[in-house]
Amino acid sequence: MKTRTKYSPSLLFFTILLAFSQSCKEVEKETAKDMALNKEKAEELPKKELSSEFKKYWYAGEAEITSYKLEQARYGEIRDGEAVLIYVTEPFLKKKQVKADGQNPDNIPVLKLNGTKNYLTGIYPYSIMTSSFYPVRDNDHALKVSFSAQEWCGQVYAQLNNRENFDVMSHSYFETEADQNFELEKATLENELWNKIRIAPESLPTGNLKIIPSLEHIRLSHRELKPYEATASLSDKNGITSYKISYPELERTLTINFTSTFPYRIESWSDTFISGFGKNAKQMTSTATKIKTLKTPYWQRNGNKHISLRDSLGL
């Protein structure tokens, strides 16, 4: 004989309420997911069409290497040195945040910039390198930016990865900076603008906006990595376009000068900021002036017989 379980009215009401509550949570969860997806789709920009001259120049199996005479302000004095900008296209895997080893439908074509600086501060040398990976379709922020500096006091390293937000990892030998991992809301990156100049200078952001300064400036000036209020402008004179960014809070102005026609080569730049610390701090200007540009597959020029190519670059 089957027995029936009897439910009191209060127990039945509680059961229905619990089921309804769980259902609401699922709907809420799905709604949040849909909102995230819609937000992601809304932020997607149209892919820039690549011109035939762009493809011919940047997909010829070569990198573009340009050397510069560097006058770098450091500790309140100007230091003579060298800077090199190496631009090259390559496939990038956004999920792994690395260069792709082979053909893959998930590959994103990027224009990579490796920028180096070398100069002496008295008895000891500084060696600096920044890498930025920017989609050639000009439809997203830089996918990754990394920076490192080595000198006899120690080394610092920082990396920004473009994921849901900007994921930042930073290591320093200074106690107040030490090891950090944090997120930043997305904003224009100063580092990506050097790539954007070479792809679509007409779409460089201008006016009043927020920009995350270069990883180099932030680390060497020991400032907080975050978006800062900035003013950006473009001007042209005698075939040279100047892109000027001013950061009032940082008391800093960066000007990048490049040819007004394709391939928009960077001819020089100047960076005015407070150099030195304490009573020795004063506003100074670092400058870099082009020496020579060379197009070559440098990764294949690694024999002793190729050392003479450095003479071609004035290095």
Side-chain angles (χ1 to χ4, degrees):
M1 181 177 177
K2 294 182 179 178
T3 59
R4 290 185 180 178
T5 304
K6 292 183 179 181
Y7 295 96
S8 67
S10 59
L11 180 60
L12 183 61
F13 175 76
F14 177 76
T15 304
I16 294 172
L17 184 63
L18 181 62
F20 178 74
S21 173
Q22 290 298 327
S23 176
C24 284
K25 285 182 180 178
E26 291 302 317
V27 171
E28 183 181 343
K29 200 180 296 181
E30 288 300 314
T31 303
K33 182 179 178 182
D34 291 340
M35 286 175 64
L37 287 173
N38 290 335
K39 180 182 178 184
E40 185 177 335
K41 289 177 182 177
E43 290 177 349
E44 287 181 358
L45 297 174
K47 292 182 178 180
K48 178 181 175 61
E49 291 299 320
L50 303 180
S51 66
S52 57
E53 63 178 351
F54 183 95
K55 294 176 182 177
K56 183 178 179 181
Y57 188 85
W58 289 113
Y59 288 98
E62 298 175 323
E64 181 200 84
I65 306 169
T66 305
S67 54
Y68 299 84
K69 180 183 184 301
L70 179 67
E71 294 183 344
Q72 180 69 43
R74 188 67 178 148
Y75 303 127
E77 294 184 76
I78 294 295
R79 322 294 180 148
D80 291 332
E82 302 165 342
V84 182
L85 299 183
I86 305 103
Y87 285 96
V88 65
T89 52
E90 64 185 30
F92 189 86
L93 284 171
K94 187 172 184 179
K95 187 175 181 180
K96 291 186 176 181
Q97 295 278 294
V98 292
K99 176 183 176 181
D101 289 336
Q103 296 296 324
N104 190 304
D106 295 329
N107 288 354
I108 299 175
V110 300
L111 179 63
K112 178 178 71 174
L113 167 61
N114 284 335
T116 66
K117 290 181 179 179
N118 292 275
Y119 54 90
L120 298 175
T121 49
I123 192 175
Y124 64 96
Y126 262 79
S127 180
I128 293 172
M129 182 170 182
T130 304
S131 299
S132 53
F133 304 77
Y134 189 77
V136 298
R137 296 294 185 176
D138 191 31
N139 64 333
D140 198 354
H141 289 292
L143 304 180
K144 178 180 177 180
V145 180
S146 62
F147 161 79
S148 64
Q150 299 81 37
E151 36 92 7
W152 286 4
C153 294
Q155 53 187 321
V156 295
Y157 177 81
Q159 181 169 297
L160 180 149
N161 295 90
N162 181 352
R163 297 192 173 99
E164 185 175 347
N165 291 309
F166 286 152
D167 292 343
V168 180
M169 174 266 289
S170 178
H171 299 284
S172 170
Y173 61 86
F174 287 99
E175 179 185 359
T176 53
E177 296 168 355
D179 300 329
Q180 301 179 52
N181 288 278
F182 57 95
E183 290 186 359
L184 286 176
E185 288 189 14
K186 293 185 179 180
T188 298
L189 294 161
E190 180 186 312
N191 286 112
E192 71 191 5
L193 296 173
W194 295 75
N195 303 65
K196 193 177 181 70
I197 284 172
R198 308 306 306 275
I199 298 171
E202 71 281 358
S203 63
L204 285 164
T206 57
N208 297 323
L209 68 160
K210 287 191 174 183
I211 300 179
I212 299 173
S214 70
L215 297 184
E216 176 188 351
H217 180 79
I218 290 296
R219 289 277 62 86
L220 296 189
S221 62
H222 307 290
R223 304 297 288 260
E224 180 184 358
L225 182 64
K226 66 175 185 176
Y228 288 82
E229 296 290 343
T231 303
S233 62
L234 279 167
S235 60
D236 295 276
K237 185 177 181 181
N238 300 327
I240 297 295
T241 299
S242 297
Y243 186 53
K244 182 178 179 180
I245 307 169
S246 296
Y247 300 92
E249 184 180 344
L250 299 176
E251 299 181 80
R252 176 177 176 238
T253 299
L254 171 68
T255 303
I256 308 170
N257 305 305
F258 57 94
T259 56
S260 302
T261 56
F262 186 85
Y264 313 116
R265 289 194 179 102
I266 293 175
E267 296 292 302
S268 63
W269 68 85
S270 64
D271 194 357
T272 301
F273 56 93
I274 302 298
S275 179
F277 302 95
K279 64 180 182 180
N280 295 321
K282 56 185 175 181
Q283 194 168 64
M284 302 188 73
T285 300
S286 299
T287 61
T289 307
K290 188 175 85 169
I291 300 172
K292 183 74 175 179
T293 294
L294 181 67
K295 282 200 75 185
T296 181
Y298 66 86
W299 52 92
Q300 297 173 2
R301 307 291 186 257
N302 52 20
N304 287 332
K305 63 181 179 181
H306 299 121
I307 290 177
S308 59
L309 291 173
R310 293 185 61 83
D311 295 333
S312 303
L313 290 165
L315 299 175

